[in-house]
Amino acid sequence: MVLFRTNILKCNECPIRHRAVCANCNDIELNLLENIKTYKSYSAGERILWRGEELIFVASVVNGVVSLSKTLEDGRKQMVGLLLPSDFIGRPGRKEIEFDVTATTDVTLCCFKRKPFEKLVKETPAIAQRLMELALDELDAARDWMLLLGRKTALEKIATFMEMFMRRSNSQNPLKSHQNIHLPLRREEVADYLGLTLETVSRQLNYLKKMEIIDFVDRRNFQVLNISALQNATGDDSDGGVIN
Amino acid sequence: MVLFRTNILKCNECPIRHRAVCANCNDIELNLLENIKTYKSYSAGERILWRGEELIFVASVVNGVVSLSKTLEDGRKQMVGLLLPSDFIGRPGRKEIEFDVTATTDVTLCCFKRKPFEKLVKETPAIAQRLMELALDELDAARDWMLLLGRKTALEKIATFMEMFMRRSNSQNPLKSHQNIHLPLRREEVADYLGLTLETVSRQLNYLKKMEIIDFVDRRNFQVLNISALQNATGDDSDGGVIN
DNA sequence: CGCTTCCTTGAGTAAATTCAAGACTTGTGG
DNA sequence: CCACAAGTCTTGAATTTACTCAAGGAAGCG
């Protein structure tokens, strides 16, 4: 399952140092984490954990994209989480997870054995608090996702998805058009994210292209040509939910 | 907005004492909560909080049902949370909420002013830990809900919903048929929960009746006549997700 | 009783799916 | 370097599912 062990970075040099579960830690607390961490790498498509499997480790995503998904008995699949670098896998007090965890791209994880980590959480409020923040952020995201799955049209789903990737992919200049956006998912994975079929995803993406709202560089790389048209197509309130 | 102030119960006599945010508290901690709590009541249909509104209090649901919902600009609505007695409204570190909070039935809340409550949370690990558990339970529920919204058929959605209410409504004898199940939602609210129209909800409920899987006592009260047929109709794994 | 709200049912429609075929990409071995 | 295979994506046609629109019936409330 584990392909190779990546060279382990010093926490201080870690790209996710200030966003991951360790974000609020001081140098002493960081050392405690450093002592129990190991890196594991997975190649694209590899299964990291199966639903129901006992969690022997918890982990932060260092790089790559990880998907969480659930499947019905006849194989219909729904993605229920998309983890980017600094996101966390595993929760305090949970011995197992009730979804599959898959490496969508090549992935490196910063892993902690569950039991020593949970001991550390109990003794370290900075970690406990950060875990809480991460869980609440996921809950917020899950609720927006539920609105999308339950009530948006295929076009609105695609537009929402592209708009989200636009914002996430370049957090420095979030609203500049014609920037390259890398899409780390195949059409089928986008479909599983949005509750659509891959054919519908393809059709709607090509519709947005025909409308000159987006353009393809290649299958996995896009540009947004018309940001406000894209945002209008999401179906969300034009103010993005901000009041006043 | 607030209709009347219910007589305030002693925490020790409170029906949600052992499931709510105070579940892990000892008598001393309970006293601290008791000193800052007030009760508020709302009648069915009343709005408790608007999206974006500043949270001046957080609360436990003492009795009644509270719904959390999001709305698109053209009015399409999706329920994103259904809170029953002992569930909690408001999260540590969150000044506002990004959904509407509505009393679905007559409701009594046990309210705490946000700032004193957050101070108490910081000083009381038992409360902080219980809040974490409640948030993680909600996250698990949200992920099952996403699978339902994204991938289940109308019939599977309805069956899943009824099966959930069956389990929740009588936790003593969870799997006995012909028990009365009270449904605290109107057809339109069920539709908003499931991402359907109210007509489709009505049709599928009557289909389950025609199949003699459920029976109506009246509009709001049902019996499950055939539990295994209902569970088969949910589309979920027959083992309920438990792996050895 | 009469009004309002809620629910049911039917007919026609629209949206997304399914099925099918073919084109483009990428990687591999000759 | 090319040929071929596997994987991925696009596009079209037919179908299905759930929605919309419409009407009427039942229940709850003053």
Side-chain angles (χ1 to χ4, degrees):
Chain A
M1 187 163 88
V2 179
L3 286 189
F4 59 90
R5 227 164 254 281
T6 310
N7 285 335
I8 296 193
L9 284 169
K10 290 276 177 197
C11 286
N12 278 323
E13 296 159 11
C14 178
I16 59 169
R17 164 72 179 96
H18 297 289
R19 287 176 298 143
V21 69
C22 50
N24 299 344
C25 290
N26 60 32
D27 288 347
I28 294 164
E29 293 160 342
L30 204 60
N31 257 323
L32 296 173
L33 280 173
E34 183 123 39
N35 289 337
I36 62 169
K37 80 177 184 182
T38 53
Y39 280 14
K40 288 183 185 167
S41 292
Y42 299 83
S43 53
E46 228 184 321
R47 186 64 53 100
I48 297 172
L49 292 165
W50 296 88
R51 168 183 170 204
E53 191 177 337
E54 196 192 333
L55 268 180
I56 56 174
F57 62 85
V58 297
S60 289
V61 178
V62 177
N63 56 55
V65 178
V66 171
S67 72
L68 316 181
S69 60
K70 288 180 168 262
T71 306
L72 295 175
E73 55 178 357
D74 64 356
R76 280 170 289 167
K77 191 166 155 189
Q78 176 63 52
M79 205 182 283
V80 296
L82 189 65
L83 307 187
L84 301 183
S86 82
D87 289 333
F88 191 76
I89 302 170
R91 292 299 168 212
R94 294 288 207 262
K95 284 208 188 66
E96 38 184 75
I97 45 169
E98 38 357 285
F99 40 73
D100 296 323
V101 180
T102 310
T104 295
T105 62
D106 291 350
V107 163
T108 304
L109 301 183
C110 173
C111 300
F112 311 99
K113 280 204 178 134
R114 190 170 59 82
K115 283 183 184 164
F117 181 81
E118 291 198 344
K119 186 161 169 287
L120 199 51
V121 171
K122 276 199 189 119
E123 298 160 356
T124 316
I127 300 177
Q129 197 202 330
R130 185 64 186 140
L131 274 176
M132 183 69 165
E133 288 169 15
L134 291 170
L136 293 180
D137 287 347
E138 273 195 85
L139 194 51
D140 284 345
R143 287 182 165 136
D144 282 329
W145 204 338
M146 284 168 56
L147 174 63
L148 174 143
L149 291 172
R151 292 304 189 195
K152 289 192 176 181
T153 64
L155 182 59
E156 289 168 341
K157 286 176 172 181
I158 292 286
T160 304
F161 180 80
M162 299 300 289
E163 207 268 344
M164 178 193 76
F165 260 89
M166 182 183 73
R167 279 189 284 100
R168 279 200 187 177
S169 68
N170 194 336
S171 46
Q172 285 82 0
N173 297 329
L175 292 175
K176 216 168 126 195
S177 69
H178 294 262
Q179 288 173 145
N180 238 58
I181 299 170
H182 178 68
L183 195 65
L185 307 181
R186 285 176 286 122
R187 299 291 181 268
E188 187 179 6
E189 293 168 325
V190 176
D192 288 341
Y193 186 107
L194 297 172
L196 297 170
T197 59
L198 67 95
E199 294 94 330
T200 300
V201 169
S202 179
R203 275 185 254 271
Q204 298 301 332
L205 282 174
N206 284 296
Y207 176 80
L208 285 178
K209 182 185 177 181
K210 203 178 76 185
M211 294 289 106
E212 299 184 322
I213 294 172
I214 63 171
D215 195 20
F216 304 94
V217 178
D218 59 33
R219 290 174 167 187
R220 295 292 196 95
N221 289 285
F222 297 81
Q223 291 186 335
V224 177
L225 304 181
N226 187 337
I227 290 176
S228 62
L230 184 63
Q231 289 174 332
N232 278 333
T234 64
D236 293 319
D237 288 1
S238 47
D239 62 7
V242 180
I243 288 184
N244 299 325
Chain B
M1 189 163 88
V2 179
L3 287 189
F4 58 92
R5 229 165 251 280
T6 309
N7 285 335
I8 296 193
L9 283 169
K10 290 276 178 197
C11 285
N12 277 322
E13 296 159 10
C14 178
I16 59 169
R17 165 71 179 96
H18 298 290
R19 286 176 297 144
V21 69
C22 50
N24 299 343
C25 290
N26 60 32
D27 289 347
I28 294 164
E29 292 160 344
L30 204 58
N31 256 323
L32 295 172
L33 281 172
E34 182 123 40
N35 288 336
I36 62 169
K37 81 177 184 183
T38 53
Y39 279 14
K40 287 182 185 169
S41 291
Y42 300 83
S43 53
E46 229 185 321
R47 185 65 52 103
I48 298 173
L49 291 166
W50 295 90
R51 169 182 169 201
E53 190 177 339
E54 197 192 333
L55 270 179
I56 57 174
F57 63 85
V58 297
S60 288
V61 178
V62 177
N63 58 54
V65 178
V66 171
S67 73
L68 316 180
S69 61
K70 287 179 168 263
T71 306
L72 295 174
E73 55 177 355
D74 64 357
R76 280 170 290 169
K77 190 165 154 191
Q78 176 64 50
M79 204 182 286
V80 297
L82 188 65
L83 306 187
L84 301 183
S86 82
D87 288 335
F88 191 77
I89 302 171
R91 292 298 169 213
R94 294 288 208 263
K95 284 208 188 62
E96 38 183 74
I97 44 168
E98 36 0 283
F99 41 74
D100 296 323
V101 180
T102 311
T104 295
T105 63
D106 291 351
V107 164
T108 304
L109 301 183
C110 174
C111 300
F112 310 99
K113 280 202 179 137
R114 190 169 58 81
K115 283 183 184 165
F117 181 82
E118 292 197 345
K119 186 161 168 288
L120 198 51
V121 171
K122 275 197 190 120
E123 298 160 356
T124 315
I127 300 177
Q129 197 202 329
R130 185 66 186 139
L131 274 175
M132 183 67 162
E133 288 169 14
L134 291 170
L136 293 180
D137 287 346
E138 272 196 86
L139 194 50
D140 284 346
R143 287 182 165 138
D144 282 329
W145 204 338
M146 285 168 56
L147 175 62
L148 175 145
L149 292 172
R151 292 304 190 193
K152 289 193 177 182
T153 64
L155 182 59
E156 288 169 340
K157 286 176 173 181
I158 291 286
T160 305
F161 180 80
M162 298 301 288
E163 207 268 343
M164 179 193 73
F165 260 89
M166 180 183 74
R167 278 189 285 102
R168 279 200 188 177
S169 67
N170 194 335
S171 46
Q172 285 81 359
N173 297 329
L175 292 175
K176 216 169 128 197
S177 69
H178 295 263
Q179 287 174 145
N180 238 58
I181 300 170
H182 178 68
L183 196 65
L185 308 180
R186 284 176 286 122
R187 298 290 181 267
E188 187 180 6
E189 293 167 325
V190 176
D192 288 341
Y193 185 107
L194 298 173
L196 297 169
T197 59
L198 67 94
E199 295 94 331
T200 299
V201 169
S202 178
R203 273 186 255 270
Q204 299 301 332
L205 281 174
N206 284 295
Y207 176 80
L208 285 177
K209 181 183 177 185
K210 203 179 76 184
M211 293 290 106
E212 300 184 322
I213 293 172
I214 64 170
D215 195 19
F216 304 96
V217 178
D218 60 34
R219 288 174 167 187
R220 294 294 195 95
N221 289 284
F222 298 81
Q223 291 187 333
V224 177
L225 304 181
N226 188 335
I227 291 175
S228 62
L230 184 63
Q231 290 174 331
N232 277 334
T234 62
D236 294 319
D237 287 2
S238 46
D239 64 7
V242 179
I243 290 182
N244 295 330

XYZ file of all heavy atoms in Angstrom, chain B residues 20-21 58-61 68 83-92 110 112 117 121 131 134 138:
183
model
N -27.111 16.415 26.148
C -26.844 17.738 25.597
C -25.387 18.141 25.830
O -24.559 17.323 26.222
C -27.799 18.751 26.204
N -25.109 19.403 25.604
C -23.751 19.921 25.733
C -23.220 19.747 27.161
O -22.017 19.667 27.386
C -23.711 21.406 25.293
C -24.460 22.288 26.269
C -22.294 21.883 25.102
N -26.114 31.093 22.240
C -26.077 29.723 21.732
C -27.088 28.959 22.568
O -27.541 29.457 23.589
C -24.671 29.112 21.843
C -23.681 29.881 20.997
C -24.221 29.062 23.298
N -27.469 27.761 22.146
C -28.567 27.106 22.849
C -28.594 25.602 22.624
O -28.123 25.104 21.608
C -29.900 27.700 22.396
N -29.184 24.904 23.585
C -29.550 23.508 23.403
C -31.043 23.434 23.141
O -31.824 24.170 23.746
C -29.254 22.700 24.669
O -27.868 22.533 24.844
N -31.446 22.534 22.259
C -32.872 22.290 22.050
C -33.372 21.425 23.211
O -32.863 20.327 23.434
C -33.122 21.563 20.710
C -34.614 21.284 20.531
C -32.580 22.375 19.557
N -32.402 23.787 10.149
C -31.410 24.691 9.580
C -31.569 24.614 8.074
O -31.649 23.513 7.522
C -29.998 24.247 9.963
C -29.767 23.820 11.415
C -28.310 23.413 11.630
C -30.172 24.925 12.369
N -32.583 19.576 13.971
C -32.132 19.451 15.358
C -33.265 18.956 16.252
O -34.363 19.505 16.239
C -31.622 20.791 15.878
C -30.541 21.481 15.042
C -30.006 22.715 15.780
C -29.399 20.541 14.705
N -32.989 17.916 17.004
C -33.947 17.346 17.944
C -33.476 17.670 19.362
O -32.380 18.201 19.549
C -34.030 15.829 17.720
C -34.445 15.406 16.315
C -34.566 13.885 16.208
C -35.752 16.066 15.895
N -34.304 17.369 20.366
C -33.901 17.679 21.741
C -32.505 17.145 22.056
O -32.177 16.001 21.692
C -34.986 16.971 22.568
C -36.196 17.073 21.721
C -35.694 16.881 20.310
N -31.716 17.962 22.681
C -30.315 17.770 23.090
C -29.322 18.258 22.034
O -28.139 18.409 22.342
C -29.991 16.313 23.476
O -29.736 15.533 22.326
N -29.772 18.520 20.815
C -28.863 19.087 19.813
C -28.560 20.546 20.145
O -29.302 21.206 20.864
C -29.471 18.964 18.409
C -29.457 17.522 17.911
O -28.610 16.741 18.369
O -30.308 17.185 17.065
N -27.460 21.032 19.571
C -26.916 22.333 19.967
C -26.923 23.302 18.795
O -26.651 22.919 17.648
C -25.480 22.134 20.473
C -24.893 23.338 21.162
C -25.265 23.656 22.461
C -23.967 24.135 20.505
C -24.726 24.764 23.104
C -23.424 25.255 21.146
C -23.805 25.556 22.442
N -27.228 24.567 19.078
C -27.197 25.630 18.070
C -26.051 26.575 18.392
O -26.000 27.114 19.499
C -28.511 26.444 18.077
C -29.714 25.546 17.827
C -28.452 27.577 17.070
C -31.051 26.263 18.038
N -25.153 26.778 17.426
C -24.034 27.687 17.643
C -22.764 26.916 17.896
O -22.801 25.808 18.406
N -21.659 27.494 17.473
C -20.382 26.793 17.585
C -19.315 27.703 18.165
O -19.320 28.899 17.888
C -19.914 26.327 16.196
C -20.764 25.254 15.583
C -20.755 23.995 16.410
N -21.782 23.058 15.953
C -22.422 22.241 16.769
N -22.180 22.255 18.061
N -23.316 21.414 16.301
N -18.370 27.143 18.951
C -17.313 27.965 19.536
C -16.516 28.679 18.460
O -16.166 28.088 17.438
C -16.432 26.941 20.268
C -16.836 25.612 19.755
C -18.230 25.729 19.292
N -32.747 26.093 25.643
C -31.987 26.455 26.833
C -30.816 27.298 26.355
O -29.883 26.780 25.750
C -31.495 25.186 27.540
S -30.398 25.499 28.918
N -27.707 30.236 26.283
C -26.570 30.811 27.005
C -26.051 31.988 26.192
O -25.862 31.859 24.981
C -25.450 29.782 27.143
C -25.901 28.444 27.664
C -26.131 27.390 26.787
C -26.096 28.254 29.022
C -26.548 26.156 27.264
C -26.517 27.016 29.498
C -26.745 25.963 28.624
N -20.615 32.018 27.700
C -20.550 30.587 27.400
C -19.181 30.205 26.847
O -18.593 29.203 27.247
C -21.649 30.199 26.407
C -21.661 28.729 26.059
C -22.274 27.816 26.903
C -21.053 28.260 24.899
C -22.286 26.464 26.595
C -21.054 26.912 24.592
C -21.666 26.011 25.441
N -16.513 27.527 28.157
C -15.993 26.427 27.338
C -14.481 26.334 27.471
O -13.912 25.257 27.632
C -16.370 26.611 25.841
C -15.634 25.591 24.973
C -17.867 26.484 25.658
N -18.885 19.426 23.015
C -19.155 20.210 21.805
C -18.491 19.566 20.599
O -19.067 19.504 19.508
C -18.616 21.634 21.966
C -19.535 22.634 22.630
C -18.801 23.959 22.816
C -20.783 22.863 21.781
N -20.453 16.520 19.532
C -21.690 16.897 18.843
C -21.400 17.356 17.412
O -22.130 17.016 16.478
C -22.424 17.991 19.625
C -23.025 17.561 20.970
C -23.502 18.773 21.772
C -24.183 16.586 20.770
N -22.609 15.570 13.867
C -23.289 16.304 12.795
C -22.583 16.125 11.468
O -23.217 16.018 10.408
C -23.353 17.795 13.141
C -24.564 18.160 13.959
C -24.783 19.659 13.944
O -25.441 20.172 13.015
O -24.296 20.333 14.873
